[in-house]
Amino acid sequence: MKIKKVIITAGGLGTRFLPFTKSVAKEMLPIVDRPNLEYLIDECKKSGIEEVILIVNNKKPEIEKYYSKDEELTETLKKENKLTELKAIDSIGSGVKISFVYQEKPIGLANALYVAKNEIAGEDFAVILGDDLMYNQDYPCLKQLLDIYNQYDCNVVAVQEVDKSEVSKYGIIGVEKEVNADVFQLNDLIEKPEIEKAPSNYAIIGRYVFKNNIFDYIEKLKIGKNNEFQLTDALKNMLVDNNKIFAKNLQGIRFDTGSKLGYAEAFIFYSCLRDDIGENVKKFIKKYIDKNN
Ligand code: G1P
């Protein structure tokens, strides 16, 4: 089955980024002049995805507003002959179908996916978590997972190694065997384990590809860590029933844009890549560092 649909979760409270996220979703934080979410949607397009389903909450309507037409702004830009700006707003959401599903309460990642069950309509699908920005210019991270799904027709999770001291912040996998370089077959998954209980230091990063029967496991889930319905628990139950799950050790740079440091890193990194301001940003950083050392 060709994977055509991606769910991007963007309905969380963004507590690590308060006070800013009191009124604006963290997925709308700008990286230079585009919301963080746009970079995730670019990754979907480059990976051959046709439809993006955004999971949002009704307290933060700015995401839907960003992806809807603004006739007045278009007219003004036309009148003022601002063609570059016109092109920039026209490109928003182009090349992929975007739809919205509302999650009523932030009761866990598993629930965030479940609210889009109807839109997925029985297909296998991919998931991107709204605060995990991944950079790989040549081989988009989602594509890395889709290639494994296409080869083995099974569930795939993205992982990267983290320091042992960090395992309690992530879902951690247990490895049954190496399928080939950077691809593992799993025998365990634990959400945010204590260091002593972690089966490895490979952490789940916010990219997944699921067989459609994940929804059966989400339906039967019991409340898990932090009083939320945990996706990792649904995956663990899939494993117990002998569903195959592979992990791909992702090749790319990860930015946790839901955290202050991760967001700052992402902003600087992407600014340096830009044709229009990159060289000046680098000069500024150098000047700033020299002055402060
Ligand atoms: C979620 C998942 C976790 C994963 C992490 C990656 O946790 O539950 O398994 O490792 O995303 O960012 P959260 O960061 O939402 O607490």
Side-chain angles (χ1 to χ4, degrees), residues 157-159 170-173 189 202-208 232 235:
V157 300
V159 295
Y170 297 95
I172 301 293
I173 60 160
L189 293 122
Y202 281 106
I204 301 175
I205 302 306
R207 305 280 178 287
Y208 308 79
T232 308
L235 279 163

Side-chain angles (χ1 to χ4, degrees), residues 109 129 132 170-171 191-192 204-206 208 230 232 254:
L109 187 53
L129 305 188
D132 270 322
Y170 297 95
E191 182 66 11
K192 303 192 174 84
I204 301 175
I205 302 306
Y208 308 79
Q230 296 292 351
T232 308
R254 171 177 182 249

Side-chain angles (χ1 to χ4, degrees), residues 5 15 22 34 56 63 71-72 91 95 98 148 158 215 223 237 256 261 269 274:
K5 297 176 185 173
T15 45
K22 180 167 179 282
R34 302 168 77 218
V56 290
I63 298 182
E71 302 297 348
E72 207 180 317
S91 71
I98 296 180
I148 294 168
F215 287 124
I223 201 98
N237 294 340
D256 174 7
L261 182 61
F269 179 86
R274 290 276 294 239

Side-chain angles (χ1 to χ4, degrees), residues 28 33-35 37-38 61-69 88-89 92-93 100:
M28 290 304 285
D33 50 5
R34 302 168 77 218
L37 184 55
E38 280 283 278
E62 60 281 351
I63 298 182
E64 204 162 349
K65 196 168 169 209
Y66 184 81
Y67 286 99
S68 46
K69 289 254 174 277
I89 64 158
I92 297 172
F100 298 86

Side-chain angles (χ1 to χ4, degrees), residues 6-13 25-27 37 41 52-60 63-64 67 98-120 125-131 215:
V6 167
I7 294 177
I8 301 183
T9 57
L13 295 176
K26 63 177 183 277
E27 291 75 14
L37 184 55
I41 295 182
V52 172
I53 301 157
L54 291 170
I55 310 300
V56 290
N57 83 52
N58 59 11
K59 286 194 180 151
K60 313 239 173 100
I63 298 182
E64 204 162 349
Y67 286 99
I98 296 180
S99 55
F100 298 86
V101 177
Y102 284 83
Q103 185 187 18
E104 277 177 27
K105 283 188 192 143
I107 52 174
L109 187 53
N111 174 259
L113 305 195
Y114 197 74
V115 295
K117 184 174 183 237
N118 284 346
E119 282 68 17
I120 294 296
F125 62 101
V127 171
I128 291 185
L129 305 188
D131 48 13
F215 287 124

Side-chain angles (χ1 to χ4, degrees), residues 150-248:
N150 288 333
Q151 191 175 352
Y152 299 100
D153 190 28
C154 69
N155 303 281
V156 190
V157 300
V159 295
Q160 278 192 335
E161 276 186 276
V162 294
D163 195 85
K164 263 273 174 204
S165 61
E166 302 260 286
V167 291
S168 62
K169 293 185 187 160
Y170 297 95
I172 301 293
I173 60 160
V175 176
E176 167 85 22
K177 64 172 185 197
E178 231 174 80
V179 179
N180 59 46
D182 285 338
V183 182
F184 314 120
Q185 182 167 350
L186 305 195
N187 60 14
D188 202 3
L189 293 122
I190 309 180
E191 182 66 11
K192 303 192 174 84
E194 292 154 28
I195 296 185
E196 315 76 60
K197 292 189 182 143
S200 74
N201 63 334
Y202 281 106
I204 301 175
I205 302 306
R207 305 280 178 287
Y208 308 79
V209 179
F210 290 121
K211 302 292 295 173
N212 191 269
N213 69 340
I214 182 78
F215 287 124
D216 302 339
Y217 290 88
I218 294 179
E219 253 162 43
K220 286 183 246 156
L221 257 190
K222 296 201 177 78
I223 201 98
K225 195 105 192 175
N226 301 334
N227 273 329
E228 293 183 350
F229 290 100
Q230 296 292 351
L231 185 57
T232 308
D233 294 346
L235 279 163
K236 167 82 187 221
N237 294 340
M238 282 186 114
L239 261 188
V240 171
D241 281 355
N242 289 323
N243 293 270
K244 214 185 264 176
I245 305 177
F246 282 4
K248 162 75 183 164

